[in-house]
Amino acid sequence: MPPPELARERPVVQVLQPVCVDPLIRHFGHEARLVPLEGLIDFAVELERLRKEQEKLQKEAEKLAAQLANENFVARAPAEKVLELRQRQADIAQRTGALQQTMEALAE
């Protein structure tokens, strides 16, 4: 049986999660690995799927912009709701930009 001071120590395990910066490269910690996608996905189908998602986000962004432009809505709605809508609007802008970058990378 190990001494009590060693029994309390637990091994440190580091789980590396992939951080996808580029759709063609997976980064694991400080190591990057190229993942060839040709033959694995149909680029035309994937681009179409991304376009549809981008259109959906654009429509939602337009709806949010109209709500937030309505002075009566902003004046009467709870501040938390208005903040939530503004955060959603910022999230959509970020996701739209990321989708655009992905689409450009796949089109190359």
Side-chain angles (χ1 to χ4, degrees), residues 24-95:
L24 304 178
I25 298 176
R26 289 287 210 180
H27 295 268
F28 293 90
H30 298 290
E31 183 180 329
R33 295 183 184 164
L34 183 63
V35 179
L37 298 177
E38 250 179 272
L40 296 176
I41 64 170
D42 185 338
F43 289 103
V45 172
E46 182 64 10
L47 281 170
E48 184 59 30
R49 185 190 71 77
L50 293 173
R51 277 191 202 98
K52 286 180 183 179
E53 186 175 344
Q54 193 175 37
E55 287 174 9
K56 179 181 168 188
L57 288 173
Q58 176 110 23
K59 287 178 185 177
E60 187 177 351
E62 289 169 1
K63 179 182 171 186
L64 290 172
Q67 274 186 311
L68 292 169
N70 182 340
E71 292 178 16
N72 287 330
F73 173 79
V74 174
R76 294 178 186 210
E80 299 85 27
K81 180 65 175 177
V82 174
L83 179 61
E84 179 185 319
L85 293 177
R86 288 189 175 131
Q87 288 173 340
R88 179 71 181 137
Q89 196 175 34
D91 178 54
I92 289 172
Q94 186 271 329
R95 287 179 56 199

